[in-house]
Structure formats: structure tokens, C-alpha cells
Short mmCIF file of all heavy atoms in Angstrom, two decimals:
data_model
loop_
_atom_site.label_atom_id
_atom_site.label_comp_id
_atom_site.label_asym_id
_atom_site.label_seq_id
_atom_site.Cartn_x
_atom_site.Cartn_y
_atom_site.Cartn_z
N VAL A 97 101.23 18.52 6.47
CA VAL A 97 101.21 18.84 7.91
C VAL A 97 102.18 17.94 8.59
O VAL A 97 102.22 16.73 8.42
CB VAL A 97 99.77 18.59 8.49
CG1 VAL A 97 99.74 18.82 9.92
CG2 VAL A 97 98.73 19.50 7.81
N HIS A 98 103.03 18.50 9.42
CA HIS A 98 104.01 17.73 10.23
C HIS A 98 103.50 17.77 11.69
O HIS A 98 103.10 18.76 12.21
CB HIS A 98 105.38 18.44 10.18
CG HIS A 98 105.99 18.48 8.85
ND1 HIS A 98 106.59 17.38 8.25
CD2 HIS A 98 106.10 19.50 7.94
CE1 HIS A 98 107.02 17.70 7.09
NE2 HIS A 98 106.70 19.00 6.84
N ILE A 99 103.56 16.56 12.26
CA ILE A 99 103.16 16.44 13.66
C ILE A 99 104.44 16.28 14.51
O ILE A 99 105.10 15.26 14.41
CB ILE A 99 102.23 15.23 13.88
CG1 ILE A 99 100.99 15.33 13.01
CG2 ILE A 99 101.79 15.15 15.35
CD1 ILE A 99 100.16 14.06 13.02
N HIS A 100 104.73 17.24 15.38
CA HIS A 100 105.86 17.18 16.26
C HIS A 100 105.37 16.52 17.59
O HIS A 100 104.31 16.82 18.08
CB HIS A 100 106.46 18.53 16.51
CG HIS A 100 107.02 19.19 15.25
ND1 HIS A 100 108.24 18.85 14.77
CD2 HIS A 100 106.46 20.06 14.48
CE1 HIS A 100 108.49 19.53 13.66
NE2 HIS A 100 107.39 20.23 13.40
N ASN A 101 106.18 15.61 18.15
CA ASN A 101 105.85 14.99 19.41
C ASN A 101 104.57 14.14 19.30
O ASN A 101 103.80 14.12 20.28
CB ASN A 101 105.78 15.95 20.57
CG ASN A 101 107.10 16.65 20.79
OD1 ASN A 101 108.12 16.02 20.70
ND2 ASN A 101 107.08 17.93 21.10
N ARG A 102 104.42 13.54 18.16
CA ARG A 102 103.19 12.71 17.95
C ARG A 102 103.02 11.59 19.06
O ARG A 102 101.88 11.34 19.48
CB ARG A 102 103.30 12.07 16.58
CG ARG A 102 102.17 11.19 16.22
CD ARG A 102 102.33 10.60 14.83
NE ARG A 102 101.29 9.71 14.48
CZ ARG A 102 101.02 9.34 13.26
NH1 ARG A 102 101.68 9.79 12.24
NH2 ARG A 102 100.01 8.49 13.02
N GLU A 103 104.19 11.03 19.48
CA GLU A 103 104.09 10.00 20.48
C GLU A 103 103.50 10.46 21.78
O GLU A 103 102.85 9.71 22.53
CB GLU A 103 105.51 9.32 20.71
CG GLU A 103 106.54 10.26 21.27
CD GLU A 103 107.18 11.20 20.19
OE1 GLU A 103 106.92 11.05 18.99
OE2 GLU A 103 107.90 12.13 20.59
N VAL A 104 103.72 11.74 22.13
CA VAL A 104 103.14 12.25 23.37
C VAL A 104 101.61 12.32 23.21
O VAL A 104 100.86 11.91 24.17
CB VAL A 104 103.68 13.69 23.62
CG1 VAL A 104 103.01 14.37 24.76
CG2 VAL A 104 105.23 13.67 23.82
N LEU A 105 101.12 12.78 22.09
CA LEU A 105 99.69 12.83 21.82
C LEU A 105 99.09 11.41 21.85
O LEU A 105 98.05 11.14 22.49
CB LEU A 105 99.42 13.51 20.53
CG LEU A 105 97.98 13.66 20.07
CD1 LEU A 105 97.18 14.45 21.11
CD2 LEU A 105 97.93 14.33 18.71
N GLU A 106 99.69 10.47 21.17
CA GLU A 106 99.22 9.10 21.07
C GLU A 106 99.22 8.47 22.49
O GLU A 106 98.25 7.76 22.79
CB GLU A 106 100.06 8.27 20.10
CG GLU A 106 99.80 8.68 18.65
CD GLU A 106 100.74 8.00 17.71
OE1 GLU A 106 101.91 7.65 18.08
OE2 GLU A 106 100.37 7.79 16.54
N SER A 107 100.25 8.71 23.24
CA SER A 107 100.30 8.12 24.61
C SER A 107 99.18 8.71 25.52
O SER A 107 98.56 8.00 26.27
CB SER A 107 101.68 8.46 25.19
OG SER A 107 101.71 8.05 26.54
N ALA A 108 98.96 10.01 25.39
CA ALA A 108 97.90 10.62 26.20
C ALA A 108 96.54 10.08 25.84
O ALA A 108 95.75 9.77 26.71
CB ALA A 108 97.93 12.13 26.01
N ILE A 109 96.27 9.91 24.55
CA ILE A 109 94.98 9.38 24.09
C ILE A 109 94.82 7.92 24.53
O ILE A 109 93.78 7.53 25.02
CB ILE A 109 94.86 9.53 22.57
CG1 ILE A 109 94.73 11.04 22.23
CG2 ILE A 109 93.64 8.75 22.03
CD1 ILE A 109 94.89 11.34 20.75
N ALA A 110 95.91 7.15 24.36
CA ALA A 110 95.85 5.73 24.76
C ALA A 110 95.56 5.57 26.26
O ALA A 110 94.98 4.64 26.70
CB ALA A 110 97.12 5.02 24.35
N GLY A 111 96.12 6.57 27.06
CA GLY A 111 95.92 6.53 28.51
C GLY A 111 94.59 7.05 28.95
O GLY A 111 94.39 7.23 30.14
N GLY A 112 93.76 7.47 28.00
CA GLY A 112 92.46 8.02 28.36
C GLY A 112 92.44 9.41 28.85
O GLY A 112 91.51 9.91 29.46
N GLN A 113 93.53 10.09 28.59
CA GLN A 113 93.70 11.51 29.04
C GLN A 113 93.03 12.48 28.05
O GLN A 113 93.00 12.17 26.84
CB GLN A 113 95.16 11.86 29.22
CG GLN A 113 95.85 11.08 30.27
CD GLN A 113 97.32 11.33 30.32
OE1 GLN A 113 97.93 11.93 29.38
NE2 GLN A 113 97.98 11.00 31.38
N GLY A 114 92.59 13.54 28.48
CA GLY A 114 92.05 14.62 27.59
C GLY A 114 93.24 15.39 27.04
O GLY A 114 94.24 15.58 27.71
N VAL A 115 93.05 15.94 25.87
CA VAL A 115 94.09 16.70 25.19
C VAL A 115 93.43 17.94 24.73
O VAL A 115 92.38 17.89 24.05
CB VAL A 115 94.74 15.92 24.03
CG1 VAL A 115 95.77 16.77 23.35
CG2 VAL A 115 95.37 14.63 24.55
N MET A 116 94.09 19.11 24.95
CA MET A 116 93.53 20.35 24.41
C MET A 116 94.62 20.94 23.51
O MET A 116 95.77 21.18 23.90
CB MET A 116 93.25 21.36 25.54
CG MET A 116 92.66 22.69 25.01
SD MET A 116 92.34 23.93 26.26
CE MET A 116 90.85 23.28 26.95
N ILE A 117 94.20 21.21 22.29
CA ILE A 117 95.07 21.80 21.28
C ILE A 117 94.61 23.25 21.12
O ILE A 117 93.49 23.50 20.82
CB ILE A 117 95.05 21.05 19.94
CG1 ILE A 117 95.43 19.59 20.18
CG2 ILE A 117 95.90 21.70 18.89
CD1 ILE A 117 95.24 18.69 18.99
N THR A 118 95.54 24.16 21.31
CA THR A 118 95.20 25.58 21.25
C THR A 118 96.04 26.29 20.20
O THR A 118 97.10 26.87 20.54
CB THR A 118 95.35 26.29 22.65
OG1 THR A 118 96.72 26.08 23.05
CG2 THR A 118 94.40 25.69 23.64
N PRO A 119 95.56 26.35 19.00
CA PRO A 119 96.35 27.05 17.97
C PRO A 119 96.27 28.60 18.14
O PRO A 119 95.37 29.10 18.83
CB PRO A 119 95.65 26.63 16.65
CG PRO A 119 94.23 26.36 17.11
CD PRO A 119 94.33 25.84 18.47
N ASN A 120 97.26 29.24 17.61
CA ASN A 120 97.25 30.70 17.74
C ASN A 120 96.44 31.35 16.61
O ASN A 120 96.31 32.56 16.57
CB ASN A 120 98.68 31.26 17.71
CG ASN A 120 99.38 30.97 16.40
OD1 ASN A 120 98.87 30.39 15.49
ND2 ASN A 120 100.64 31.45 16.32
N HIS A 121 95.80 30.58 15.77
CA HIS A 121 94.81 31.01 14.79
C HIS A 121 95.35 32.12 13.88
O HIS A 121 94.73 33.16 13.74
CB HIS A 121 93.59 31.48 15.52
CG HIS A 121 92.30 31.35 14.66
ND1 HIS A 121 92.21 30.52 13.58
CD2 HIS A 121 91.11 32.03 14.76
CE1 HIS A 121 90.99 30.66 13.04
NE2 HIS A 121 90.34 31.56 13.75
N PRO A 122 96.48 31.84 13.18
CA PRO A 122 96.96 32.86 12.26
C PRO A 122 96.14 32.95 11.01
O PRO A 122 96.26 33.95 10.28
CB PRO A 122 98.43 32.37 11.93
CG PRO A 122 98.37 30.86 12.15
CD PRO A 122 97.31 30.65 13.23
N CYS A 123 95.42 31.92 10.69
CA CYS A 123 94.49 31.98 9.47
C CYS A 123 93.36 31.00 9.69
O CYS A 123 93.30 30.31 10.70
CB CYS A 123 95.31 31.64 8.21
SG CYS A 123 95.87 29.96 8.16
N HIS A 124 92.50 30.88 8.73
CA HIS A 124 91.35 30.02 8.85
C HIS A 124 91.62 28.55 8.51
O HIS A 124 90.70 27.74 8.45
CB HIS A 124 90.21 30.56 7.98
CG HIS A 124 89.62 31.81 8.48
ND1 HIS A 124 88.79 31.87 9.59
CD2 HIS A 124 89.77 33.05 8.06
CE1 HIS A 124 88.47 33.11 9.85
NE2 HIS A 124 89.05 33.89 8.93
N CYS A 125 92.90 28.20 8.32
CA CYS A 125 93.19 26.78 8.04
C CYS A 125 93.34 25.94 9.28
O CYS A 125 93.45 24.78 9.20
CB CYS A 125 94.49 26.70 7.18
SG CYS A 125 95.96 27.18 8.07
#
């Protein structure tokens, strides 16, 4: 699994912000 823009996610979490990940659900993985 490759994480693109990981620093954006880490910064948001460190800042106490909520993050919503919305996959397009192409499969059950």
C-alpha cells in the first residue's frame, strides 16, 4: 500500500482535526 500525501494526514491528526477517507469501493479490500 502506498500512501500519497502522508504528511497532510499526519499534520491533520497532530492538529486534532478530523479526517474522513472516502474510498470509491472498487472491491472488498
